Amino acid sequence: MHRTKVRVVEDALDANNTIARANRDDFDRHGVTVVNLMSAPGAGKTTLLEASLCEPLGEIRVGVLEGDVQGSFDADRLAALHLPVTQLNTDSGFGGECHLDANMVRSALPSLPLHDIDLLVIENVGNLVCPAEFRVGEDVRAMVCSVTEGEDKPLKYPLMFRTCELVVVNKIDLLEHLDFDLDKFLYYLDQVNPGVERMLVSARTGEGVEAWRDWLGAAAREERVPA
Amino acid sequence: MHRTKVRVVEDALDANNTIARANRDDFDRHGVTVVNLMSAPGAGKTTLLEASLCEPLGEIRVGVLEGDVQGSFDADRLAALHLPVTQLNTDSGFGGECHLDANMVRSALPSLPLHDIDLLVIENVGNLVCPAEFRVGEDVRAMVCSVTEGEDKPLKYPLMFRTCELVVVNKIDLLEHLDFDLDKFLYYLDQVNPGVERMLVSARTGEGVEAWRDWLGAAAREERVPA
């Protein structure tokens, strides 16, 4: 029984990866770098994007694909930044999925202004489990982890922390009011993803946001260099 | 295509509900009240249980079923309270599920000391989406929402907030350091689940924890009254 179930899961992930590769080919053809941005609910993905994309990112044109179970709360916030923002809801036709998958992103491709952007940030559904299992066609993965969530999160959700190229540790303005042990968190982080790039940020105060902007810019420029 | 997919999802949820009812029958037969405790990662479920179960709950004997993708981090914390704690991992044989379902809980029944407890708290996997979709045999559902997660969570994850009998608003000791608008949060909460019972708590300072203990006690006593 269990063996069969595991096989089914593997098949589903294989199918997802095939579609993810097709998405990535389409993004590459347009010279668009794609960042899959993930976190738990309320870790501050949208606030980080607001804080970092309120001013132009140099010459790089940015678009956002906003993933939510339902509603357009975050997309409405980001649209105020005068960026092209596309909303993708997982509850219509997908049964209320807790993550984006490659097929959902594929269905959104016709709505994305791929000719007019260099960088697409895909804000995934807030969840530390399934989004890590499903590639959507991204070049790089970044996650936001809030210091309010406790030090143990890398150990409890290792796949998420292991598959990201960058961990943004957010809400550091609250550190003095928490029992959060930053050294212990970083120790756990290195246990599951040794040496992974990390940055300390407060999207609210702006501290560290420039480093995140630099990272986004570097990711986009790396993609734009002709192969 | 979409219609077929929705049908498959409905079938899976029907099958889950059948097993959930069987679980509930078994719990009822033993006179055990079951609370399904849910939240986003890091909202403070385990800390709340530590703060509230460190002293006996009157005459009520409490056990905990601890759901995690992997590891026994939280179970180890709770075992220090000298409660019967059973760990249930979703990554073994289930493919790393982001929620508990009725079948997983059923597989744990033989490990639960049902003869020796009156109240079982099932600490679900940290996730605001799928745990809300899967009944596991509980009598009541409670969720923990941290004020650090922002006011918009009821609107973004409505099913979770709608299907709970109690919303514990945690980490209120941090309110003075946040931009969180409590009135706005409660307004959104009433939009998705009008008048749902709610309590303001700081598991860290102990504020409001007695109300949560009272709620647990009342839930257990209600179950024990012979029908």
Side-chain angles (χ1 to χ4, degrees):
Chain A
M1 282 288 278
H2 284 168
R3 186 176 295 269
T4 307
K5 181 150 188 190
V6 169
R7 186 63 243 167
V8 170
V9 170
E10 285 171 359
D11 286 346
L13 290 176
D14 281 350
N16 182 75
N17 282 337
T18 301
I19 301 170
R21 277 191 294 273
N23 291 347
R24 187 162 173 178
D25 287 346
D26 285 340
F27 292 133
D28 284 349
R29 198 171 311 121
H30 290 86
V32 175
T33 301
V34 179
V35 176
N36 185 354
L37 184 62
M38 302 178 283
S39 81
K45 295 185 296 303
T46 310
T47 305
L48 180 64
L49 293 180
E50 285 179 320
S52 54
L53 301 179
C54 55
E55 292 180 22
L57 196 64
E59 78 286 11
I60 297 161
R61 300 164 301 169
V62 185
V64 177
L65 177 61
E66 188 55 53
D68 286 298
V69 177
Q70 66 180 72
S72 60
F73 218 81
D74 294 344
D76 295 343
R77 285 170 61 184
L78 294 176
L81 302 178
H82 305 292
L83 296 173
V85 178
T86 303
Q87 179 72 51
L88 181 54
N89 286 133
T90 69
D91 73 341
S92 57
F94 296 112
E97 297 288 344
C98 62
H99 58 277
L100 296 179
D101 67 23
N103 198 39
M104 297 179 208
V105 170
R106 190 138 199 89
S107 74
L109 286 189
S111 313
L112 294 172
L114 295 182
H115 290 287
D116 304 320
I117 60 174
D118 308 300
L119 174 68
L120 177 69
V121 179
I122 300 179
E123 188 179 337
N124 217 310
V125 179
N127 180 351
L128 290 183
V129 187
C130 298
E133 297 174 10
F134 290 85
R135 297 263 159 197
V136 295
E138 68 270 33
D139 295 285
V140 281
R141 300 182 137 197
M143 71 167 292
V144 180
C145 186
S146 163
V147 294
T148 58
E149 296 167 25
E151 304 94 355
D152 58 349
K153 292 302 157 294
L155 298 183
K156 295 192 64 185
Y157 303 91
L159 186 66
M160 173 61 73
F161 286 85
R162 191 174 293 135
T163 63
C164 281
E165 277 82 21
L166 171 71
V167 176
V168 178
V169 183
N170 192 23
K171 306 194 189 181
I172 59 166
D173 57 296
L174 296 175
L175 273 177
E176 63 184 302
H177 309 297
L178 303 172
D179 303 321
F180 184 84
D181 184 334
L182 183 60
D183 289 336
K184 190 187 270 189
F185 171 82
L186 296 176
Y187 174 76
Y188 290 153
L189 177 60
D190 281 323
Q191 282 196 315
V192 301
N193 194 352
V196 61
E197 189 171 355
R198 76 281 315 259
M199 48 183 68
L200 306 182
V201 167
S202 168
R204 183 198 195 196
T205 68
E207 188 177 350
V209 169
E210 203 54 37
W212 160 249
R213 281 170 53 86
D214 289 345
W215 186 89
L216 283 176
R221 273 184 291 273
E222 196 169 313
E223 175 77 8
R224 293 172 80 199
V225 173
Chain B
M1 280 288 280
H2 284 166
R3 186 176 294 273
T4 306
K5 181 148 188 189
V6 169
R7 186 63 241 168
V8 170
V9 170
E10 286 171 357
D11 287 347
L13 290 176
D14 281 351
N16 182 76
N17 282 337
T18 301
I19 302 170
R21 278 192 293 272
N23 290 348
R24 188 162 173 177
D25 287 346
D26 285 341
F27 292 134
D28 284 349
R29 198 172 310 120
H30 290 87
V32 175
T33 301
V34 178
V35 176
N36 186 355
L37 184 62
M38 301 178 283
S39 81
K45 295 186 296 302
T46 310
T47 305
L48 180 65
L49 293 179
E50 285 180 319
S52 54
L53 302 178
C54 55
E55 291 180 22
L57 196 64
E59 78 286 10
I60 296 161
R61 300 163 302 169
V62 185
V64 177
L65 178 60
E66 187 56 52
D68 286 298
V69 177
Q70 66 179 70
S72 61
F73 219 82
D74 294 344
D76 295 343
R77 285 169 61 185
L78 294 175
L81 303 177
H82 305 292
L83 296 172
V85 178
T86 303
Q87 178 72 51
L88 181 53
N89 285 132
T90 69
D91 73 341
S92 57
F94 296 111
E97 296 288 344
C98 61
H99 58 276
L100 297 178
D101 67 23
N103 198 40
M104 297 180 208
V105 169
R106 187 134 200 95
S107 74
L109 286 188
S111 313
L112 295 172
L114 295 181
H115 291 286
D116 303 320
I117 59 174
D118 308 298
L119 174 67
L120 177 68
V121 179
I122 300 180
E123 188 180 337
N124 217 310
V125 179
N127 181 351
L128 290 183
V129 186
C130 298
E133 298 174 8
F134 290 85
R135 298 262 159 197
V136 295
E138 69 269 34
D139 295 285
V140 282
R141 300 182 138 198
M143 70 167 293
V144 180
C145 186
S146 163
V147 294
T148 59
E149 296 167 25
E151 304 95 354
D152 58 351
K153 292 301 157 295
L155 298 185
K156 294 192 63 182
Y157 304 91
L159 186 67
M160 173 61 73
F161 286 85
R162 190 175 292 135
T163 63
C164 281
E165 277 82 22
L166 172 70
V167 175
V168 178
V169 183
N170 192 24
K171 307 195 190 179
I172 59 166
D173 57 297
L174 295 176
L175 273 177
E176 62 184 302
H177 308 298
L178 303 173
D179 302 319
F180 185 83
D181 183 335
L182 183 60
D183 289 336
K184 190 186 269 191
F185 172 82
L186 296 175
Y187 174 76
Y188 291 153
L189 177 60
D190 281 322
Q191 281 196 314
V192 301
N193 194 351
V196 60
E197 189 171 355
R198 76 281 318 259
M199 48 184 67
L200 305 183
V201 167
S202 168
R204 182 197 195 195
T205 69
E207 188 177 349
V209 169
E210 203 53 39
W212 160 247
R213 280 170 53 86
D214 290 346
W215 186 89
L216 283 176
R221 274 184 291 273
E222 195 169 314
E223 175 77 8
R224 294 171 79 199
V225 174

